[in-house]
Amino acid sequence: MAVQDLKWYSTFEFLIGSILSFADPITDVLALMGFYKENHRNWFKWGVIFMIIPCLTFVMVYLLTITFDNVRGVTDCLRRVLFTLNPFSPGWATLKAFVLCLKNFKKLWRGEGVDCGDDVDDVNRLLAYVNFAPFMEVITESIPQFIIQLYGASVQEEPVKIIQIISLLVSFLSLVWSFSAADGFLHEGEIDMKIKHKLIFLVTNFFLLSSRLFAICYFILAFRGWIFVVLILHSVIVALADSCPRYKAGRKCDWWCSAIFIFFLFSHWIRDDLSAPHDADDSGARKKQLKRIQWLSNVMFVVENIVMILLFYNHSKYSNACYALPITVSVCSLSILGATIRLIHFNSLLKTVSHQKR
């Protein structure tokens, strides 16, 4: 997203995004404090680890989105990095973007765009950070925290506290919101995103993420470390399916392409569109590869989710719990429904853009 891509509704998108970016780490900290008080030290330890890891990724994203021309010495660079090294960094950046749009709301409403003066490059870098930092936050913080807290709520002997429920809801809402935003900026120029499409992406991601994360969490309840076998196998299969066409076509892969490939390798298990060959010059080939990978990923999502939740329901000591049957039915139905809507909707968007270019 660049300055010229801002719309009047971007103001409200940034507002909601900033609220979720602030609320997510706050509720996670409160939930972890509850784990510590109840002597669940192992859950607390892993929760703290996944509060620290995102801060390191924020620094990486920041260093990739800035230019060092405006950095005045080592001290200034260190100050900027330290300012980014905190759980609220995406929230502050999104809040800045919200204030910018709010100041120019009348112009955006009239379709005139934002007046940045000589600071266009700085605003574009801010928007780039706002795009990627919240996405990295949910990948490295919201998803692990959601799984840890859902696991804890399912097996703990004491009653589930209100803050645990709130933290789970906030983490999940942050996930759905960030993944829906990622559908726009990851495929900028490939699909034409309007408000109705954003709403469909929100609903679809709600179905896909809820079914995927619940299946993973309850599979962990029954089979613990075997979940890594499932997720690694999924990622490797998708990565091979993505790299083989690139290898056959004889495309060269520079360091940037290699970095993207490695990042995608660790994210295939949760998203279905992170493997399109972005280094391809032919947009038609890129879209064809995207469709192929999406079909493969979603079919695997459905099969894996159903198998994992059925194994939990039939071979877990928690299969007699009151939530076992509703969770099993929900995961199976939402997996199929979400994957179907996702494939149909995304395919229609790609076709629409292709027809417009013709």
Side-chain angles (χ1 to χ4, degrees), residues 61-69 71 77 80-81 125 129:
V61 173
Y62 179 74
L63 293 176
L64 290 173
T65 54
I66 68 168
T67 57
F68 292 92
D69 297 336
V71 178
C77 181
R80 297 188 183 200
V81 169
R125 284 191 287 270
Y129 184 81

Side-chain angles (χ1 to χ4, degrees), residues 110-242:
R110 294 193 296 263
E112 298 177 0
V114 176
D115 183 15
C116 302
D118 297 330
D119 300 328
V120 176
D121 292 336
D122 292 335
V123 174
N124 283 332
R125 284 191 287 270
L126 172 65
L127 295 177
Y129 184 81
V130 169
N131 280 336
F132 286 99
F135 180 69
M136 294 299 297
E137 179 184 22
V138 298
I139 289 289
T140 57
E141 192 261 339
S142 298
I143 291 177
Q145 294 287 359
F146 182 86
I147 294 175
I148 291 170
Q149 294 174 27
L150 182 60
Y151 178 91
S154 301
V155 301
Q156 67 185 35
E157 296 179 357
E158 63 272 11
V160 178
K161 297 181 179 179
I162 296 179
I163 187 58
Q164 290 179 265
I165 299 175
I166 295 175
S167 181
L168 283 170
L169 289 175
V170 171
S171 293
F172 186 72
L173 289 175
S174 181
L175 266 170
V176 173
W177 186 262
S178 296
F179 268 50
S180 300
D183 287 324
F185 71 79
L186 287 176
H187 303 288
E188 188 174 357
E190 295 178 342
I191 59 177
D192 184 19
M193 287 280 286
K194 297 180 180 179
I195 295 181
K196 62 179 180 180
H197 300 134
K198 293 176 182 287
L199 294 175
I200 295 176
F201 276 128
L202 282 171
V203 175
T204 306
N205 283 314
F206 176 85
F207 292 159
L208 291 174
L209 288 170
S210 59
S211 59
R212 185 66 171 169
L213 293 179
F214 274 89
I216 289 173
C217 178
Y218 288 106
F219 183 81
I220 294 174
L221 280 179
F223 299 97
R224 301 286 179 142
W226 284 100
I227 187 62
F228 293 106
V229 177
V230 176
L231 301 185
I232 291 173
L233 184 63
H234 178 104
S235 297
V236 170
I237 291 174
V238 177
L240 289 175
D242 176 50

